Amino acid sequence: MISGILIATCVVAGVGIVIGIILGIADMKLHVDVDEKEAAILEALPGNNCGGCGFPGCSGCAAAIAKGEAAVNQCPVGGAPVAAQISEIMGIAAIESKRMVAFVHCGGDCEKAKQQYEYSGTADCRLQMQAPGGGSKTCSYGCLGGGSCVSVCQFDAIHVVNGIAVVDKDSCKACGKCIDICPRHLIDLIPYDAGEAVACKSQDMGKAVNGYCSVGCIACHICEKNCPSGAITVENNVASIDQDKCTKCGTCVEKCPKKAIKAIS
């Protein structure tokens, strides 16, 4: 009886020892060294995993920064404060980064832009593009107001107001998801402190634009001719502003006959 118990105990102990040896060998074989810098960078990142940095999540971004394959200010969500922390971790001077925000280049809301018909389908701009005429809006370049951009924004920074998407720049983290999903490519990033921006992307001739939108750019070149810093050019029948040259004087806003250029508050 007692010998049986001893034998069973020895067997259990032996099995435990064997398993322990196997696990020890597996641990040595499968052990992955942890990069302390990478771990510290990951801790400093905001953890949104939005992909705005161009990498698959914050862990991918942290690994790239630690290897020197990405800049310390790679994370658009963290901005300057996070870049400063990562610079300290990497032991390099902090890189000054300009805060950017999304801007929707369309001012044709329900009162200002004509509709071909009333759309009553699924509220998704990509689906609306498949509807007759490429959507209900007469302007084939304007915001459809379906809210595809709203659905992907993790920061509640963009909403459809009176038929067009509008960005709350104080909430925007410049992750770029709204830019990627907009089927009409109406959204891009501009400096947070930009003075003016063109709220139109139509490439139609002025006569056509006048027929469907009261605030559409008609490529009259008045803004271009009056800009004292040469920051405005008109190409493909629509004005654009070089934000690096813009001095925020407001002349373009004042001179634009269609009010297609907005002062950014």
Side-chain angles (χ1 to χ4, degrees):
M1 178 85 174
I2 295 175
S3 61
I5 293 173
L6 290 174
I7 291 172
T9 302
C10 291
V11 170
V12 171
V15 171
I17 292 170
V18 172
I19 292 174
I21 293 171
I22 293 173
L23 290 175
I25 295 171
D27 181 63
M28 289 187 290
K29 294 288 186 181
L30 302 176
H31 177 71
V32 177
D33 291 327
V34 176
D35 186 325
E36 292 184 2
K37 282 188 176 180
E38 181 181 330
I41 292 168
L42 182 58
E43 182 69 22
L45 291 171
N48 293 93
N49 293 306
C50 62
C53 59
F55 294 94
C58 291
S59 60
C61 182
I65 295 173
K67 294 174 185 175
E69 297 173 355
V72 294
N73 61 347
Q74 191 75 23
C75 174
V77 176
V82 168
Q85 290 182 54
I86 295 175
S87 296
E88 186 175 345
I89 294 167
M90 294 294 290
I92 61 175
I95 298 175
E96 185 178 352
S97 56
K98 182 184 292 185
R99 181 179 176 184
M100 305 293 283
V101 293
F103 180 80
V104 183
H105 292 275
C106 180
D109 60 25
C110 293
E111 279 74 46
K112 299 180 180 71
K114 290 185 178 179
Q115 301 287 321
Q116 303 181 79
Y117 53 83
E118 184 177 346
Y119 176 82
S120 59
T122 303
D124 185 295
C125 299
R126 296 163 298 176
L127 293 177
Q128 289 187 44
M129 287 278 288
Q130 308 305 314
S136 61
K137 186 167 282 188
T138 304
C139 174
S140 60
Y141 299 91
C143 177
L144 292 163
S148 297
C149 52
V150 177
S151 68
V152 297
C153 181
Q154 298 179 24
F155 309 100
D156 194 33
I158 188 165
H159 301 91
V160 174
V161 180
N162 199 19
I164 59 171
V166 177
V167 176
D168 176 354
K169 72 174 190 176
D170 290 320
S171 299
C172 179
K173 303 299 181 183
C175 71
K177 285 194 172 182
C178 58
I179 296 172
D180 294 337
I181 202 169
C182 178
R184 287 191 166 172
H185 311 293
L186 287 171
I187 310 174
D188 64 15
L189 297 179
I190 64 173
Y192 175 84
D193 60 355
E196 299 85 28
V198 182
C200 184
K201 280 282 189 177
S202 173
Q203 295 182 15
D204 288 339
M205 298 291 286
K207 183 178 181 180
V209 174
N210 279 329
Y212 56 65
C213 185
S214 63
V215 292
C217 178
I218 56 174
C220 63
H221 293 266
I222 291 176
C223 56
E224 184 179 45
K225 293 173 182 176
N226 284 274
C227 179
S229 59
I232 302 181
T233 54
V234 177
E235 295 180 358
N236 298 320
N237 295 319
V238 64
S240 63
I241 299 175
D242 182 339
Q243 295 293 344
D244 291 330
K245 294 181 180 179
C246 180
T247 60
K248 309 173 192 176
C249 68
T251 301
C252 55
V253 176
E254 178 186 345
K255 296 290 185 180
C256 179
K258 294 295 295 290
K259 304 304 176 187
I261 304 179
K262 290 183 177 181
I264 310 299
S265 56

